Amino acid sequence: MDPSLFPLFGLFTVLLLVTGLYCVVATRNFIRLLIGLEIVTKGVTLLIILGGYLSGHMALAQALAITLIVIEVVVIAIAAGIVIAIYRKNGSLDANLMKNLKG
Amino acid sequence: MNLMLLTAMLLAALWAVFTRTLLKSAIALALASVLLTVIMFQLKSPLAAVFELSVCAGLITVVFVSTISLTQPQSDAQVLAHAGQRLRRYWFLPVLLALVVVGLDCAHLPLDFTPPTPEEAGLDVRNVLWNMRPTDLLGQVIIILAGVFGVVVLFKEKA
């Protein structure tokens, strides 16, 4: 295992996480928010695999990555269903216009 | 090679965030998944890479395209107006990022990796998943069931 890989991969993992977080924070469109969440999950998956590669625990890292991917797909599927339901109810995907629950 | 793949994946993620069209954003996300698959193969994780390719680059892209087709996107004028506001509102984020990177570099975090025992080094992924982490599998089954019921309820037609 080559420990010198960590700075390069670590930097790009952080950049992926920041890109995804920026997308989640800065967008008003619900679908783009889900895309941001996806990008964050990709960064985390890369970090798990990188940790497994550098430490030699590849089997465990792959098992955790597979678990994460399964959770990710279910979350996105349910969130997409909620987005479609929101669109059917409100006619828009703009988060600023969602004032149904405002007290 | 690794640098090229990582740069391409980051560029695909940035394209997914900044492109105006949602469909292009979904395609850019699929491209990022494909590049992550190649990186995972480079890091000796073939099973996880195959999962990433089939599920994230395939299934999730289909989910996004279906969702986009079932919802009406914003008009070009609305997208342009929001893009202009977004740049003005979040100008401080790159500065904050640079400060965090400098801070982490100065912190000199200890990154000691414990090498695996010979027994651990010889383990197969399937052995780990089915025999050592059954709780994870139970969690996955429960989440998948929850997902199925959730989708059925969300798309149920009202009588």
Side-chain angles (χ1 to χ4, degrees), chain A residues 29-31 79-94 97-98 100, chain B residues 22 66-74 78 154-155:
Chain A
N29 187 296
F30 284 121
I31 296 176
I82 293 172
V83 164
I84 292 169
I86 286 172
Y87 178 75
R88 284 179 181 168
K89 178 87 177 160
N90 295 290
S92 168
L93 289 178
D94 190 341
L97 300 178
M98 300 296 126
N100 308 47
Chain B
L22 280 173
S66 307
T67 308
I68 291 165
S69 68
L70 288 170
T71 56
Q72 189 177 357
Q74 292 175 313
Q78 286 172 318
L154 280 168
F155 288 100

Side-chain angles (χ1 to χ4, degrees), chain B residues 42-113:
Chain B
Q42 298 273 88
L43 292 176
K44 313 268 189 299
S45 311
L47 269 176
V50 164
F51 252 83
E52 174 75 25
L53 186 68
S54 57
V55 173
C56 296
L59 180 60
I60 287 183
T61 306
V62 167
V63 168
F64 272 120
V65 169
S66 307
T67 308
I68 291 165
S69 68
L70 288 170
T71 56
Q72 189 177 357
Q74 292 175 313
S75 68
D76 284 347
Q78 286 172 318
V79 168
L80 271 172
H82 178 56
Q85 284 176 9
R86 189 170 60 186
L87 284 170
R88 274 197 298 276
R89 226 185 301 166
Y90 298 108
W91 62 267
F92 62 89
L93 284 177
V95 174
L96 189 61
L97 171 65
L99 286 173
V100 167
V101 168
V102 167
L104 283 173
D105 191 44
C106 294
H108 299 296
L109 298 168
L111 295 166
D112 299 320
F113 296 104

Side-chain angles (χ1 to χ4, degrees), chain B residues 106-125:
Chain B
C106 294
H108 299 296
L109 298 168
L111 295 166
D112 299 320
F113 296 104
T114 313
T117 61
E119 293 79 23
E120 280 178 334
L123 283 176
D124 189 31
V125 178

Side-chain angles (χ1 to χ4, degrees), chain A residues 34-81:
Chain A
L34 294 183
I35 288 173
L37 194 62
E38 269 296 297
I39 294 171
V40 169
T41 312
K42 280 188 201 329
V44 173
T45 308
L46 180 60
L47 194 60
I48 288 173
I49 295 296
L50 178 66
Y53 181 77
L54 290 173
S55 64
H57 296 85
M58 278 317 304
L60 181 59
Q62 284 188 81
L64 290 175
I66 287 168
T67 304
L68 177 60
I69 290 167
V70 168
I71 294 170
E72 175 190 354
V73 72
V74 173
V75 165
I76 292 296
I78 295 291

